[in-house]
Amino acid sequence: MPRASGPLAEALGHRTVLLDGGLSNQLAAQGCDLSGGLWSGRVLVERPDQVEAAHTAYARAGAEVLITASYQVGYEAFAAHGHDRAATTALLHRSVALAARAAEAADHEVWVAASVGPYGAVLADGSEYRGRYGLSVRELAAFHRPRIEALLDAGPDVLAVETLPDPDEAEAVLAVLAETGARAWLGYTVADGRTRSGAALPAAFALAAEAPQIIALGVNCCDPAEVLPALEAAAATTRKPLLAYPNDGSVWDSATHTWHAPQAPSPWPTPAWQHTGARLIGGCCRIGPARIATLAARLPREPSAGK
C-alpha cells in the first residue's frame, strides 16, 4: 500500500492518529550499539537496515506515523565524529528514505514525520531535559535552519519538532518554519507542570497557538502523569489538535547514560487525553512496538465530546 495519500492535518480534523514509539529502545532491542555519543544516529550511519527494521516493527504494530532517525543528527555534532557537511545531509535524507520504505511496505496508510530534535539532543549530555543553553533565539534558528531544509528536501509528510525544553527554542524553530512554509507538530518536554527549562506552559504554548505551520501542539518524552495537565494548558491556549507521546516515566541519567525506571509506572488515561483534544497519541523513549500494538487495539479513533 502507498504512503498516506492525504495530509496528516486533514486526518487530525476528524480522528485520532496513532504514532510510533521510541526508536532508540527498539534499536537496542534489535541488538544495535548506540554508544559513542551519536545514539540512534550511529545506527543510521552503520546499520541503516536496522533503522528500517525498527520502523517496520512499529508499522506492523499499527502505528500510522513513523518518526525518522534524525533526532540527534546535527551538522556540528557529526562533524566532530568525522562526517562532513555533505555526508550529514545524506544521512538526514537517508533517515526519511528509510521511514518512507517502511511506510510503503505497510498494510495500512502511514505518514512519515521527520524528527527535528532540540539543540540539546546533539550535545548527547541530557541538555534537552534542562534547556537554557545560553544561546540566543537567532543562534538557535541558525542551528535548526540547515537541517530542517535538508529534511524537507527529502520529502517527509510533516516535521516532528519534538522534545523542546524551552520556549526560546520553540520561537527559533517557528521562525524557520515560517521561512520555509513547512508543516510541523511541536512538542515540549515537561516536568512539574512547566517546560524543562522552568517556563510556564500557557506562555510556551501561546507561541505556537496561531502559527499556521503548526498542525498539532503538545508534549512528548515526559512522565505520563504530566500529560493531562499539560494538555489542559494547551487546550486553554489553542484550538489546534493536541499531541501526547510520553515515555514510560523513567528518568534519564546523563552521567551514566542510563534510564532509571519508576517504582510504579504512571497510567495512561488516553480517553482523558482525547477528551482534552489529543489527536496524535503514541509513545516516546522506552515505549516499544508491543505497547503501540496495545494502543492500536484499544485506542478509540473517533473524537470524544471534548473537541
Short mmCIF file of all heavy atoms in Angstrom, two decimals, residues 193-244:
data_model
loop_
_atom_site.label_atom_id
_atom_site.label_comp_id
_atom_site.label_asym_id
_atom_site.label_seq_id
_atom_site.Cartn_x
_atom_site.Cartn_y
_atom_site.Cartn_z
N GLY A 193 4.84 20.42 35.84
CA GLY A 193 3.88 21.38 35.34
C GLY A 193 4.45 22.55 34.58
O GLY A 193 3.75 23.54 34.32
N ARG A 194 5.73 22.47 34.19
CA ARG A 194 6.37 23.53 33.42
C ARG A 194 7.24 22.89 32.35
O ARG A 194 7.46 21.67 32.37
CB ARG A 194 7.23 24.42 34.34
CG ARG A 194 6.46 25.02 35.51
CD ARG A 194 7.35 25.81 36.43
NE ARG A 194 7.67 27.12 35.88
CZ ARG A 194 6.91 28.20 36.00
NH1 ARG A 194 5.76 28.14 36.64
NH2 ARG A 194 7.28 29.36 35.49
N THR A 195 7.76 23.70 31.41
CA THR A 195 8.73 23.14 30.49
C THR A 195 9.98 22.77 31.28
O THR A 195 10.18 23.21 32.41
CB THR A 195 9.12 24.14 29.39
OG1 THR A 195 9.95 25.17 29.96
CG2 THR A 195 7.89 24.75 28.72
N ARG A 196 10.85 21.96 30.67
CA ARG A 196 12.04 21.51 31.40
C ARG A 196 12.96 22.65 31.81
O ARG A 196 13.72 22.53 32.76
CB ARG A 196 12.82 20.52 30.53
CG ARG A 196 12.07 19.26 30.21
CD ARG A 196 12.14 18.24 31.32
NE ARG A 196 11.54 16.98 30.89
CZ ARG A 196 11.72 15.82 31.49
NH1 ARG A 196 12.50 15.75 32.55
NH2 ARG A 196 11.12 14.73 31.05
N SER A 197 12.87 23.77 31.09
CA SER A 197 13.69 24.93 31.48
C SER A 197 13.02 25.76 32.56
O SER A 197 13.60 26.74 33.03
CB SER A 197 13.96 25.81 30.26
OG SER A 197 12.75 26.40 29.79
N GLY A 198 11.80 25.38 32.95
CA GLY A 198 11.10 26.08 34.01
C GLY A 198 10.10 27.12 33.55
O GLY A 198 9.54 27.86 34.37
N ALA A 199 9.82 27.18 32.24
CA ALA A 199 8.88 28.18 31.72
C ALA A 199 7.44 27.73 31.95
O ALA A 199 7.12 26.54 31.95
CB ALA A 199 9.13 28.40 30.23
N ALA A 200 6.57 28.70 32.11
CA ALA A 200 5.15 28.42 32.29
C ALA A 200 4.55 27.87 31.01
O ALA A 200 4.83 28.37 29.91
CB ALA A 200 4.41 29.69 32.72
N LEU A 201 3.72 26.85 31.12
CA LEU A 201 3.18 26.19 29.93
C LEU A 201 2.23 27.08 29.13
O LEU A 201 2.29 27.05 27.89
CB LEU A 201 2.48 24.89 30.33
CG LEU A 201 3.41 23.77 30.79
CD1 LEU A 201 2.60 22.53 31.16
CD2 LEU A 201 4.42 23.43 29.71
N PRO A 202 1.34 27.85 29.74
CA PRO A 202 0.45 28.67 28.90
C PRO A 202 1.21 29.59 27.95
O PRO A 202 0.87 29.70 26.77
CB PRO A 202 -0.37 29.47 29.93
CG PRO A 202 -0.40 28.57 31.13
CD PRO A 202 0.97 27.94 31.17
N ALA A 203 2.25 30.25 28.44
CA ALA A 203 3.04 31.14 27.58
C ALA A 203 3.80 30.34 26.53
O ALA A 203 3.95 30.79 25.38
CB ALA A 203 4.00 31.96 28.43
N ALA A 204 4.30 29.17 26.91
CA ALA A 204 5.03 28.35 25.96
C ALA A 204 4.13 27.91 24.82
O ALA A 204 4.51 27.98 23.64
CB ALA A 204 5.64 27.14 26.66
N PHE A 205 2.94 27.45 25.14
CA PHE A 205 2.01 27.01 24.09
C PHE A 205 1.50 28.19 23.27
O PHE A 205 1.24 28.05 22.06
CB PHE A 205 0.84 26.26 24.71
CG PHE A 205 1.18 24.90 25.22
CD1 PHE A 205 0.86 24.52 26.52
CD2 PHE A 205 1.83 23.97 24.41
CE1 PHE A 205 1.17 23.25 27.00
CE2 PHE A 205 2.15 22.70 24.88
CZ PHE A 205 1.82 22.34 26.18
N ALA A 206 1.38 29.34 23.90
CA ALA A 206 0.85 30.51 23.19
C ALA A 206 1.74 30.91 22.01
O ALA A 206 1.24 31.46 21.02
CB ALA A 206 0.70 31.69 24.15
N LEU A 207 3.03 30.62 22.08
CA LEU A 207 3.93 30.96 20.98
C LEU A 207 3.49 30.34 19.67
O LEU A 207 3.63 30.93 18.60
CB LEU A 207 5.35 30.49 21.30
CG LEU A 207 6.16 31.30 22.30
CD1 LEU A 207 7.46 30.58 22.62
CD2 LEU A 207 6.45 32.68 21.73
N ALA A 208 2.97 29.11 19.75
CA ALA A 208 2.60 28.37 18.53
C ALA A 208 1.10 28.26 18.33
O ALA A 208 0.65 27.63 17.38
CB ALA A 208 3.22 26.96 18.58
N ALA A 209 0.33 28.89 19.21
CA ALA A 209 -1.12 28.70 19.20
C ALA A 209 -1.77 29.10 17.89
O ALA A 209 -2.74 28.48 17.45
CB ALA A 209 -1.76 29.48 20.35
N GLU A 210 -1.23 30.12 17.23
CA GLU A 210 -1.82 30.60 15.99
C GLU A 210 -0.89 30.41 14.79
O GLU A 210 -1.23 30.87 13.69
CB GLU A 210 -2.18 32.08 16.13
CG GLU A 210 -3.14 32.40 17.27
CD GLU A 210 -4.48 31.70 17.11
OE1 GLU A 210 -4.90 31.47 15.96
OE2 GLU A 210 -5.11 31.39 18.15
N ALA A 211 0.24 29.78 14.98
CA ALA A 211 1.19 29.61 13.88
C ALA A 211 0.60 28.71 12.80
O ALA A 211 0.24 27.57 13.07
CB ALA A 211 2.49 29.00 14.40
N PRO A 212 0.48 29.19 11.56
CA PRO A 212 -0.19 28.41 10.52
C PRO A 212 0.57 27.13 10.14
O PRO A 212 -0.03 26.19 9.63
CB PRO A 212 -0.27 29.38 9.34
CG PRO A 212 0.79 30.40 9.59
CD PRO A 212 0.87 30.53 11.07
N GLN A 213 1.87 27.10 10.39
CA GLN A 213 2.65 25.91 10.04
C GLN A 213 2.44 24.76 11.02
O GLN A 213 2.72 23.61 10.70
CB GLN A 213 4.15 26.24 9.99
CG GLN A 213 4.56 27.11 8.82
CD GLN A 213 4.24 28.57 9.06
OE1 GLN A 213 4.23 29.03 10.21
NE2 GLN A 213 3.97 29.31 7.99
N ILE A 214 1.96 25.04 12.23
CA ILE A 214 1.83 24.02 13.26
C ILE A 214 0.48 23.32 13.14
O ILE A 214 -0.57 23.94 13.24
CB ILE A 214 1.99 24.64 14.66
CG1 ILE A 214 3.38 25.26 14.81
CG2 ILE A 214 1.77 23.59 15.74
CD1 ILE A 214 4.53 24.29 14.65
N ILE A 215 0.53 21.99 12.93
CA ILE A 215 -0.70 21.22 12.78
C ILE A 215 -1.16 20.60 14.09
O ILE A 215 -2.32 20.19 14.21
CB ILE A 215 -0.56 20.12 11.71
CG1 ILE A 215 0.42 19.02 12.16
CG2 ILE A 215 -0.12 20.71 10.37
CD1 ILE A 215 0.38 17.78 11.30
N ALA A 216 -0.27 20.50 15.07
CA ALA A 216 -0.63 19.95 16.38
C ALA A 216 0.40 20.43 17.40
O ALA A 216 1.55 20.70 17.06
CB ALA A 216 -0.67 18.42 16.34
N LEU A 217 -0.02 20.48 18.65
CA LEU A 217 0.79 21.09 19.70
C LEU A 217 0.59 20.29 20.97
O LEU A 217 -0.53 19.89 21.29
CB LEU A 217 0.33 22.54 19.89
CG LEU A 217 1.06 23.46 20.86
CD1 LEU A 217 2.51 23.63 20.44
CD2 LEU A 217 0.36 24.82 20.89
N GLY A 218 1.68 20.01 21.68
CA GLY A 218 1.52 19.26 22.92
C GLY A 218 2.83 18.91 23.56
O GLY A 218 3.76 19.72 23.59
N VAL A 219 2.92 17.67 24.07
CA VAL A 219 4.08 17.25 24.85
C VAL A 219 4.54 15.86 24.42
O VAL A 219 3.78 15.05 23.91
CB VAL A 219 3.77 17.23 26.36
CG1 VAL A 219 3.51 18.65 26.86
CG2 VAL A 219 2.58 16.34 26.68
N ASN A 220 5.84 15.62 24.66
CA ASN A 220 6.39 14.29 24.43
C ASN A 220 7.58 14.07 25.36
O ASN A 220 8.09 15.02 25.97
CB ASN A 220 6.81 14.09 22.97
CG ASN A 220 8.09 14.79 22.60
OD1 ASN A 220 8.11 16.02 22.46
ND2 ASN A 220 9.17 14.04 22.43
N CYS A 221 8.02 12.84 25.46
CA CYS A 221 9.17 12.44 26.29
C CYS A 221 9.08 13.02 27.69
O CYS A 221 10.00 13.67 28.19
CB CYS A 221 10.49 12.81 25.62
SG CYS A 221 11.83 11.68 26.13
N CYS A 222 7.96 12.75 28.35
CA CYS A 222 7.74 13.18 29.72
C CYS A 222 7.03 12.05 30.46
O CYS A 222 6.58 11.08 29.85
CB CYS A 222 6.91 14.45 29.77
SG CYS A 222 5.28 14.29 29.00
N ASP A 223 6.94 12.18 31.75
CA ASP A 223 6.18 11.22 32.54
C ASP A 223 4.72 11.25 32.11
O ASP A 223 4.15 12.34 31.92
CB ASP A 223 6.30 11.58 34.02
CG ASP A 223 5.75 10.50 34.94
OD1 ASP A 223 4.59 10.10 34.78
OD2 ASP A 223 6.49 10.07 35.84
N PRO A 224 4.07 10.11 31.94
CA PRO A 224 2.65 10.12 31.55
C PRO A 224 1.78 10.95 32.50
O PRO A 224 0.77 11.52 32.07
CB PRO A 224 2.26 8.64 31.59
CG PRO A 224 3.54 7.91 31.33
CD PRO A 224 4.61 8.74 31.99
N ALA A 225 2.17 11.04 33.77
CA ALA A 225 1.38 11.81 34.73
C ALA A 225 1.39 13.30 34.42
O ALA A 225 0.51 14.05 34.88
CB ALA A 225 1.90 11.58 36.15
N GLU A 226 2.38 13.75 33.65
CA GLU A 226 2.48 15.17 33.29
C GLU A 226 1.61 15.54 32.10
O GLU A 226 1.40 16.72 31.82
CB GLU A 226 3.93 15.52 32.95
CG GLU A 226 4.92 15.36 34.09
CD GLU A 226 4.92 16.55 35.03
OE1 GLU A 226 4.29 17.58 34.71
OE2 GLU A 226 5.56 16.45 36.09
N VAL A 227 1.10 14.53 31.38
CA VAL A 227 0.47 14.79 30.09
C VAL A 227 -0.84 15.56 30.23
O VAL A 227 -1.04 16.59 29.56
CB VAL A 227 0.26 13.48 29.30
CG1 VAL A 227 -0.61 13.73 28.06
CG2 VAL A 227 1.59 12.88 28.91
N LEU A 228 -1.76 15.07 31.05
CA LEU A 228 -3.08 15.68 31.09
C LEU A 228 -3.04 17.14 31.53
O LEU A 228 -3.67 17.99 30.87
CB LEU A 228 -4.01 14.87 31.99
CG LEU A 228 -5.47 15.33 32.00
CD1 LEU A 228 -6.07 15.33 30.60
CD2 LEU A 228 -6.30 14.43 32.93
N PRO A 229 -2.33 17.51 32.61
CA PRO A 229 -2.26 18.94 32.95
C PRO A 229 -1.68 19.79 31.83
O PRO A 229 -2.13 20.91 31.60
CB PRO A 229 -1.37 18.96 34.20
CG PRO A 229 -1.47 17.60 34.78
CD PRO A 229 -1.62 16.68 33.62
N ALA A 230 -0.68 19.24 31.13
CA ALA A 230 -0.09 20.00 30.03
C ALA A 230 -1.08 20.16 28.88
O ALA A 230 -1.18 21.24 28.28
CB ALA A 230 1.17 19.30 29.54
N LEU A 231 -1.82 19.10 28.57
CA LEU A 231 -2.83 19.20 27.52
C LEU A 231 -3.91 20.21 27.89
O LEU A 231 -4.40 20.95 27.03
CB LEU A 231 -3.45 17.84 27.24
CG LEU A 231 -2.55 16.77 26.60
CD1 LEU A 231 -3.33 15.48 26.41
CD2 LEU A 231 -1.98 17.25 25.27
N GLU A 232 -4.28 20.23 29.14
CA GLU A 232 -5.30 21.20 29.58
C GLU A 232 -4.79 22.63 29.41
O GLU A 232 -5.54 23.52 28.99
CB GLU A 232 -5.68 20.92 31.03
CG GLU A 232 -6.48 19.62 31.18
CD GLU A 232 -6.69 19.21 32.63
OE1 GLU A 232 -5.96 19.72 33.51
OE2 GLU A 232 -7.58 18.38 32.88
N ALA A 233 -3.50 22.84 29.70
CA ALA A 233 -2.92 24.17 29.49
C ALA A 233 -2.90 24.52 28.01
O ALA A 233 -3.17 25.66 27.63
CB ALA A 233 -1.50 24.21 30.07
N ALA A 234 -2.57 23.53 27.17
CA ALA A 234 -2.56 23.79 25.73
C ALA A 234 -3.96 24.06 25.21
O ALA A 234 -4.16 24.97 24.38
CB ALA A 234 -1.95 22.59 25.00
N ALA A 235 -4.93 23.28 25.67
CA ALA A 235 -6.31 23.44 25.19
C ALA A 235 -6.89 24.80 25.56
O ALA A 235 -7.77 25.32 24.87
CB ALA A 235 -7.19 22.33 25.76
N ALA A 236 -6.40 25.37 26.65
CA ALA A 236 -6.86 26.71 27.05
C ALA A 236 -6.24 27.81 26.21
O ALA A 236 -6.67 28.97 26.28
CB ALA A 236 -6.54 26.95 28.53
N THR A 237 -5.25 27.42 25.40
CA THR A 237 -4.49 28.40 24.63
C THR A 237 -4.77 28.33 23.14
O THR A 237 -4.71 29.34 22.44
CB THR A 237 -2.98 28.19 24.86
OG1 THR A 237 -2.72 28.20 26.26
CG2 THR A 237 -2.15 29.28 24.20
N THR A 238 -5.10 27.14 22.64
CA THR A 238 -5.24 26.95 21.19
C THR A 238 -6.38 25.99 20.88
O THR A 238 -6.76 25.16 21.71
CB THR A 238 -3.94 26.39 20.59
OG1 THR A 238 -4.06 26.29 19.18
CG2 THR A 238 -3.61 25.02 21.16
N ARG A 239 -6.92 26.11 19.67
CA ARG A 239 -7.92 25.16 19.16
C ARG A 239 -7.28 24.14 18.23
O ARG A 239 -7.98 23.34 17.61
CB ARG A 239 -9.03 25.91 18.43
CG ARG A 239 -9.82 26.87 19.30
CD ARG A 239 -10.51 26.17 20.46
NE ARG A 239 -11.47 25.18 20.01
CZ ARG A 239 -12.16 24.36 20.82
NH1 ARG A 239 -11.93 24.39 22.12
NH2 ARG A 239 -13.03 23.51 20.32
N LYS A 240 -5.98 24.17 18.09
CA LYS A 240 -5.31 23.18 17.26
C LYS A 240 -5.45 21.79 17.87
O LYS A 240 -5.61 21.65 19.09
CB LYS A 240 -3.82 23.52 17.12
CG LYS A 240 -3.52 24.77 16.31
CD LYS A 240 -2.02 24.99 16.21
CE LYS A 240 -1.71 26.28 15.45
NZ LYS A 240 -2.08 26.16 14.03
N PRO A 241 -5.34 20.74 17.06
CA PRO A 241 -5.25 19.39 17.62
C PRO A 241 -4.04 19.31 18.54
O PRO A 241 -3.02 19.96 18.31
CB PRO A 241 -5.07 18.49 16.39
CG PRO A 241 -5.63 19.29 15.25
CD PRO A 241 -5.34 20.73 15.58
N LEU A 242 -4.16 18.47 19.56
CA LEU A 242 -3.08 18.33 20.52
C LEU A 242 -2.37 16.99 20.31
O LEU A 242 -2.89 16.10 19.65
CB LEU A 242 -3.62 18.43 21.95
CG LEU A 242 -4.41 19.71 22.27
CD1 LEU A 242 -4.84 19.71 23.73
CD2 LEU A 242 -3.63 20.96 21.92
N LEU A 243 -1.19 16.88 20.89
CA LEU A 243 -0.41 15.64 20.75
C LEU A 243 0.14 15.23 22.10
O LEU A 243 0.43 16.06 22.96
CB LEU A 243 0.70 15.80 19.72
CG LEU A 243 1.88 16.72 20.03
CD1 LEU A 243 3.03 15.95 20.65
CD2 LEU A 243 2.36 17.42 18.77
N ALA A 244 0.27 13.91 22.26
CA ALA A 244 0.80 13.34 23.50
C ALA A 244 1.52 12.05 23.19
O ALA A 244 0.90 11.08 22.75
CB ALA A 244 -0.33 13.09 24.50
#
